[in-house]
Amino acid sequence: MGRSVMLSNGEMLVGLNEHGLVHDFYYPYVGLENLTTARSVHHMVGVWVDGHFSWVDDGSWQIEVDFEQDALVSKIVAERADLGVRLRFEDCIDSQYTALLRHITVENLVDRQREIRLFMHQVFQISNDGRADTVLYVPKGNYLFDYKGRCALLISARDQHDQPFDQFSVGNYGIEGKEGTYRDAEDGELSGNLVEHGSVDSVLRCCLTIDARSEGTVNYWIIASYSQYDAEAIHNKLIEQGIERRITATRTWWHQWLATAKPSIDSVFEKYQPIFKKSLLVIKAHIDKRGGTIASCDSSIYNYGRDYYSYVWPRDGGLTMLTLIELGYTAEPKRFFDFCADTIHPGGYMMHKYQPDRAIGSTWHPLMHQHHPELAIQEDETAVVIYAFAAYMDKHNDIDFLRKHYDHLIKPAANFMSGFIDEQTSLPHASYDLWEERFATHTYTAAITRAALKKAARLAEQMEDYQSAEQWKAAGQHIQDGLKLLFNPHLQAYRKSVLLLADGNLEFNDTVDISSVYGVAMFDESRLDSEAVKQAVKVTESRLLDSSPAGGVIRYEHDGYFLAHHQYLGNPWLICTLWLAQYYAKTAQLDKAWRLVDWAVERCGPSGMLAEQVDPVDGHHVGVSPLVWSHAELVNTLLMLAKKD
């Protein structure tokens, strides 16, 4: 399952699952160290009433998980009718402090006064192997403290009468035959064990006496910091200011952040404005305050994959920045370009992906092909960074920022792209495709590289570097000429790729791939009405659109990535479907565009999350959810359509 809510402040990100429970807990970088215990374990919430105990994820609760359309504040309702209990959660990551705040309303739904006990369980894995963490109760301050080295987690709770939790327990989790301390809660009482180390978890209890048909409240928080003393300082501020006041302040912060996009939001049809705003919130949630834009912080993919999506791909980041730039944001794009300037290879190219702390991420691209050394890169990722930087300049004409990055980002990247061209084909030398699978010269990569060189030449002219401008223009024109090789006149469509073999022969891949025609048309709008693009779109529609009962557009023919139903050509992708909608919008085929937009919106999860892919039979989410790229393309598509209506 994906994540139903992502709460963030750019330094801490918490993912809540379909039960409204903490399942991902990233700190101190968005998307780097996940302090929960990896694959499927999550924090839990339990209720004891009238001698009965129940965890809210035991299958007996009716649960709705959502978040506000104007702020990253959750709206969660969990009800168990037979127990006569309803829980309502308002959760956020504080906009000022690195703290998860949960304001919990406990409703007594029966006609008599009752004692209702609320149990909050937390399980962290701070050390890599989960064997060296410590959790203990701190009486001075009334909190539980979970720590290892420079990671300090302070957990506390108080009721509406400002009384601290009345019971607690700490212990071992998942080792030495012990399931976890959470089991201690199931009789309604906690043993009060004071300290434990190794693989640990903890539980605290708030005991509420609630009148008939009335409610009580519990405020719960987890503070993350580098030391116990820093965490205590935040703890005291939260008690002083009050959790509800802090949630209100955080809600206001999000309203102010969205205000930059208000003119664009208002231009979109009213029915689409909630998902438009939610998509912006999801995007912002995944942007680390130091510039890294994470593809997805949904760690559930780690249950069935070798890796997760919690990396900074220059591709995803650059395309997402194009969205924010169009909306008028400046801080996030500037920090992203700072990130790229700090991480670009001395040779002038972006690597496959990065961690948010600027270290190089994992890769599956080898450094050899056809027995020759090759770069383990996707050249489109270098191109999109320069393309997006130029878009920022077009929007804001920030000459000082251009001066800051011209010599260390723009010029090295453009020099690399202008030199990384095969003379025989006039096309970019082979690299890995944007889907990260195949080594060749891909139509999409050629198209965006040509566009990036053209944009870079304009930046060079602004810097009065006319020699570079001419060099980059000429290289872009060479690629433009070479693109003719990538059109298959018999199929009347753009090829996926061409590979220049060691013996000088060319190996064509004529697979129909949505990215090929999208790259040619959308990165050079002068070609939108060309006969080649029109014919290629027709072929793309016939091969990739609505190829399964679920509808939508697949990436390319015979795409096996996460495909469970092999009678179909591939899983439909949100990105690809929205790309075709964007082409329709640009060419005034508005009915077709709106049909695909509605298809995408209908594939949102209950809280508005967009996944990477959907199942070709029943349309359920496949891959990570949310995927930032999917949300960015939905916003892009709605903006394009708003300009047409």
Side-chain angles (χ1 to χ4, degrees):
M1 297 294 292
R3 298 295 168 256
S4 298
V5 178
M6 291 292 194
L7 306 172
S8 174
N9 67 357
E11 191 173 4
M12 173 191 285
L13 182 144
V14 171
L16 304 180
N17 66 14
E18 69 275 16
H19 302 292
L21 304 176
V22 172
H23 210 137
D24 294 311
F25 196 106
Y26 294 94
Y27 172 82
Y29 287 87
V30 170
L32 190 55
E33 294 95 346
N34 192 345
L35 303 180
T36 50
T37 54
R39 295 182 181 272
S40 60
V41 177
H42 52 258
H43 299 197
M44 295 192 290
V45 175
V47 170
W48 181 95
V49 61
D50 296 336
H52 299 282
F53 183 89
S54 177
W55 296 111
V56 299
D57 62 337
D58 65 9
S60 63
W61 293 74
Q62 296 296 315
I63 303 174
E64 296 177 3
V65 182
D66 203 348
F67 62 102
E68 298 175 11
Q69 62 178 268
D70 299 301
L72 274 185
V73 178
S74 76
K75 298 190 301 181
I76 301 169
V77 179
E79 181 174 337
R80 183 159 170 185
D82 61 328
L83 292 183
V85 176
R86 182 187 296 128
L87 306 178
R88 301 197 313 271
F89 294 79
E90 279 185 297
D91 311 315
C92 71
I93 304 298
D94 194 289
S95 57
Q96 184 176 351
Y97 307 119
T98 48
L100 167 65
L101 313 179
R102 309 200 78 173
H103 177 66
I104 308 162
T105 301
V106 182
E107 295 183 65
N108 177 14
L109 303 179
V110 303
D111 294 321
R112 56 185 173 81
Q113 185 185 79
R114 294 193 297 171
E115 180 181 271
I116 300 177
R117 303 173 189 174
L118 181 70
F119 294 84
M120 303 298 291
H121 164 255
Q122 41 282 323
V123 52
F124 291 103
Q125 181 174 293
I126 303 172
S127 57
N128 290 333
D129 57 8
R131 297 282 176 168
D133 299 348
T134 299
V135 62
L136 55 81
Y137 172 66
V138 180
K140 185 178 180 181
N142 288 304
Y143 62 84
L144 299 175
F145 186 56
D146 198 333
Y147 70 94
K148 167 68 177 177
R150 286 294 182 183
C151 184
L153 300 166
L154 186 157
I155 304 115
S156 192
R158 295 192 172 213
D159 65 18
Q160 73 266 33
H161 304 299
D162 204 32
Q163 295 301 304
F165 56 92
D166 71 323
Q167 286 189 2
F168 65 89
S169 193
V170 304
N172 290 121
Y173 180 93
I175 60 171
E176 300 171 359
K178 299 174 182 177
E179 291 184 72
T181 307
Y182 69 93
R183 288 294 191 189
D184 188 22
E186 293 175 351
D187 62 355
E189 302 286 340
L190 295 173
S191 63
N193 188 40
L194 293 168
V195 63
E196 193 52 85
H197 73 289
S199 178
V200 294
D201 68 337
S202 60
V203 190
L204 57 79
R205 185 186 84 171
C206 288
C207 190
L208 306 175
T209 299
I210 305 177
D211 290 338
R213 302 288 176 179
S214 297
E215 62 188 36
T217 60
V218 170
N219 287 317
Y220 167 88
W221 57 94
I222 302 176
I223 298 163
S225 190
Y226 290 102
S227 73
Q228 181 176 4
Y229 312 108
D230 291 340
E232 281 185 349
I234 297 173
H235 175 63
N236 293 331
K237 289 176 182 176
L238 293 179
I239 293 172
E240 177 185 351
Q241 296 180 31
I243 297 301
E244 293 167 75
R245 179 181 169 189
R246 292 307 312 157
I247 292 175
T248 298
T250 298
R251 182 181 286 114
T252 300
W253 187 95
W254 284 104
H255 292 171
Q256 292 170 345
W257 184 82
L258 277 177
T260 296
K262 189 176 187 306
S264 296
I265 294 168
D266 292 343
S267 72
V268 172
F269 284 149
E270 187 174 356
K271 66 176 284 190
Y272 299 102
Q273 289 181 13
I275 189 60
F276 190 101
K277 290 186 284 189
K278 282 190 167 187
S279 291
L280 289 181
L281 297 176
V282 170
I283 290 169
K284 177 62 173 172
H286 285 77
I287 299 177
D288 184 81
K289 70 176 187 177
R290 287 139 293 205
T293 299
I294 305 303
S296 178
C297 286
D298 170 17
S299 71
S300 64
I301 192 172
Y302 204 48
N303 290 318
Y304 47 87
R306 300 177 185 178
D307 208 340
Y308 33 80
Y309 279 32
S310 298
Y311 293 102
V312 182
W313 273 268
R315 172 202 58 206
D316 298 54
L319 293 169
T320 300
M321 289 307 116
L322 286 171
T323 304
L324 296 182
I325 290 164
E326 177 67 18
L327 292 166
Y329 289 97
T330 58
E332 293 81 5
K334 290 177 76 171
R335 285 196 288 265
F336 175 75
F337 297 128
D338 289 343
F339 183 100
C340 293
D342 285 348
T343 55
I344 192 169
H345 188 276
Y349 48 85
M350 303 302 299
M351 299 299 292
H352 180 190
K353 53 187 166 71
Y354 301 88
Q355 296 185 163
D357 63 356
R358 289 168 162 72
I360 295 175
S362 62
T363 190
W364 44 91
H365 297 335
L367 288 165
M368 295 280 289
H369 195 271
Q370 297 186 99
H371 308 292
H372 293 286
E374 296 285 359
L375 296 178
I377 66 168
Q378 299 160 211
E379 191 185 0
D380 68 277
E381 296 200 284
T382 303
V384 74
V385 170
I386 303 308
Y387 187 89
F389 193 104
Y392 172 81
M393 288 299 300
D394 288 341
K395 187 82 169 182
H396 300 290
N397 195 30
D398 189 345
I399 299 299
D400 288 339
F401 193 66
L402 175 58
R403 289 194 185 102
K404 175 183 177 181
H405 287 307
Y406 184 75
D407 288 332
H408 303 291
L409 176 62
I410 307 302
K411 194 167 184 175
N415 280 337
F416 168 75
M417 290 186 290
S418 66
F420 198 62
I421 295 175
D422 290 326
E423 184 177 350
Q424 181 175 332
T425 62
S426 296
L427 290 168
H429 185 69
S431 66
Y432 291 88
D433 64 338
L434 83 160
W435 306 131
E436 310 171 67
E437 295 175 333
R438 291 171 174 81
F439 182 82
T441 295
H442 297 88
T443 300
Y444 175 89
T445 301
I448 193 171
T449 301
R450 185 213 63 81
L453 284 166
K454 181 179 178 181
K455 297 281 190 182
R458 288 172 51 191
L459 297 176
E461 289 170 348
Q462 286 183 270
M463 292 295 294
E464 300 182 351
D465 182 3
Y466 299 112
Q467 183 177 353
S468 293
E470 290 304 313
Q471 174 190 332
W472 302 340
K473 283 181 186 177
Q477 186 58 53
H478 281 312
I479 296 173
Q480 183 67 53
D481 296 338
L483 276 167
K484 298 172 185 176
L485 187 65
L486 288 165
F487 186 79
N488 184 334
H490 303 291
L491 184 60
Q492 288 292 292
Y494 285 96
R495 296 178 162 112
K496 184 181 180 72
S497 64
V498 61
L499 181 62
L500 177 60
L501 301 175
D503 61 7
N505 289 318
L506 299 178
E507 181 178 276
F508 292 106
N509 184 336
D510 288 318
T511 301
V512 176
D513 186 320
I514 181 67
S515 72
S516 299
V517 68
Y518 179 84
V520 171
M522 302 303 284
F523 294 117
D524 182 2
E525 292 192 13
S526 69
R527 301 184 62 81
L528 278 169
D529 293 323
S530 70
E531 193 60 29
V533 166
K534 289 179 181 178
Q535 292 302 317
V537 169
K538 287 182 181 179
V539 174
T540 299
E541 290 170 329
S542 68
R543 302 282 186 94
L544 307 184
L545 174 63
D546 295 333
S547 64
S548 67
V553 177
I554 64 176
R555 292 191 298 179
Y556 55 83
E557 300 168 288
H558 307 294
D559 177 9
Y561 185 52
F562 286 147
L563 180 64
H565 305 283
H566 292 278
Q567 66 269 40
Y568 300 108
L569 292 177
N571 292 333
W573 279 54
L574 278 298
I575 295 160
C576 301
T577 305
L578 292 164
W579 276 356
L580 186 56
Q582 289 171 24
Y583 169 79
Y584 290 149
K586 288 286 188 180
T587 55
Q589 301 178 69
L590 301 186
D591 288 344
K592 288 184 176 181
W594 283 118
R595 182 179 80 83
L596 295 183
V597 167
D598 287 336
W599 179 93
V601 172
E602 288 165 5
R603 298 312 180 278
C604 288
S607 63
M609 295 298 187
L610 289 172
E612 178 184 65
Q613 317 167 41
V614 300
D615 184 272
V617 175
D618 61 17
H620 74 255
H621 285 185
V622 176
V624 294
S625 179
L627 181 69
V628 169
W629 191 1
S630 295
H631 284 278
E633 295 298 358
L634 177 60
V635 172
N636 286 339
T637 310
L638 289 170
L639 286 174
M640 289 181 190
L641 285 165
K643 292 175 181 178
K644 296 291 182 180
D645 291 312

